């Protein structure tokens, strides 16, 4: 089955720690995205990548980092510099350069304890 | 800066009624307007989408109405069912193919 897999589903982090959220897709999509979802604020773009070894900042990139070493994988690291990291994180992918739908993973809920 | 404004924030409809969610966009470069449906604890899934060269698109009980001059579009859910209870997001996308989302509408359909 093709799709996007995010792991873990739930993640707890102590203040001051970095954590990495995994996102893997087997849809052969070139473009991948990370969104943050907070109640009443919709989905906000953190980072996106249109091709391997290249990525761009989205609207709220501060305190986050990404890598794109493989087409299938786009991990997101939430660093200790992110002041309010508790949120629902969503990874998505789409075909590059086409008007087409973005496919989303099931999300990772990160809680700082 | 919010480029897609969505209303209402929440909506309660009786079973069999019509649910209407409205969105307005600012970026005239947008050329693709999807609606996503999200159930609690899940990722959003594409429901229906429209391009600005048409004024309406219908898929089953779901219809998008698009007004290019007013820079507005809306989702109509006919014969709303309890299973339609979810959060709905409108979005716009331009040449960069990044989706800019509205703030979401939590729809509750009462049995």
């Amino acid at each position: 089955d093709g799709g996007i897999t995010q792991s873990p589903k739930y993640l707890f982090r102590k203040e001051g720690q970095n954590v990495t959220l995994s996102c893997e897709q087997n849809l052969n999509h070139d473009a991948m995205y990370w969104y943050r979802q907070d109640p009443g604020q919709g989905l906000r773009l953190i980072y996106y990548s249109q091709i391997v070894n290249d990525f761009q900042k989205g609207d709220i990139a501060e305190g986050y980092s990404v890598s794109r070493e493989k087409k299938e994988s786009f991990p997101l690291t939430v660093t200790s510099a992110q002041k309010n990291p508790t949120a629902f994180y969503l990874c998505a992918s789409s075909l590059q350069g086409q008007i087409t739908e973005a496919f989303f993973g099931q999300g990772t809920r990160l809680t700082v304890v | 800066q919010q480029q897609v404004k969505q209303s209402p924030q929440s909506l309660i409809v009786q079973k069999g009624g019509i649910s209407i969610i409205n969105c307005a966009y600012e970026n005239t470069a947008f050329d693709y307007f999807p609606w996503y449906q999200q159930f609690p604890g899940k990722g959003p899934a594409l429901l229906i989408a429209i391009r600005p060269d048409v004024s309406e698109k219908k898929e089953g009980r779901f219809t998008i109405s698009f007004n290019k001059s007013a820079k507005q579009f809306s989702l109509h859910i006919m014969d709303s069912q309890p299973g339609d209870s979810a959060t709905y997001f409108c979005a716009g996308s331009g040449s960069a193919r990044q989706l800019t989302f509205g703030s979401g509408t939590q729809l509750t359909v009462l049995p």
Side-chain angles (χ1 to χ4, degrees), chain A residues 9 33 35 37 40 42-43 45 48 50 88 90 98-99 101-102 104-106, chain B residues 9 31-32 36 38 41-44 46 51 89 96-99 101-103:
Chain A
K9 188 176 177 82
Y33 312 83
Y35 289 89
Q37 185 174 18
L43 284 71
L45 183 65
Y48 64 101
Q50 296 175 327
F88 190 50
L90 288 159
Q98 298 185 32
I99 299 176
E101 69 177 291
F104 283 83
Q106 295 298 290
Chain B
Q9 185 175 4
D31 60 3
Y32 175 67
Y36 279 80
Q38 183 182 31
K42 305 295 184 182
L46 180 67
R51 294 184 66 180
F89 293 96
R97 294 293 161 253
Q98 301 162 41
L99 289 167
F101 286 88
S103 55

Side-chain angles (χ1 to χ4, degrees), chain A residues 40-96:
Chain A
Q41 295 193 49
L43 284 71
R44 293 181 290 168
L45 183 65
I46 304 172
Y47 269 97
Y48 64 101
S49 169
Q50 296 175 327
I51 195 169
V52 174
N53 292 322
D54 188 42
F55 48 83
Q56 288 78 39
K57 294 181 178 180
D59 300 321
I60 56 166
E62 184 175 354
Y64 300 97
S65 66
V66 294
S67 63
R68 187 82 187 280
E69 297 177 359
K70 299 187 300 180
K71 186 176 184 177
E72 302 79 16
S73 179
F74 191 41
L76 173 74
T77 297
V78 183
T79 75
S80 57
Q82 169 52 235
K83 298 304 180 187
N84 185 23
T86 295
F88 190 50
Y89 291 87
L90 288 159
C91 179
S93 71
S94 67
L95 287 170
Q96 173 60 15

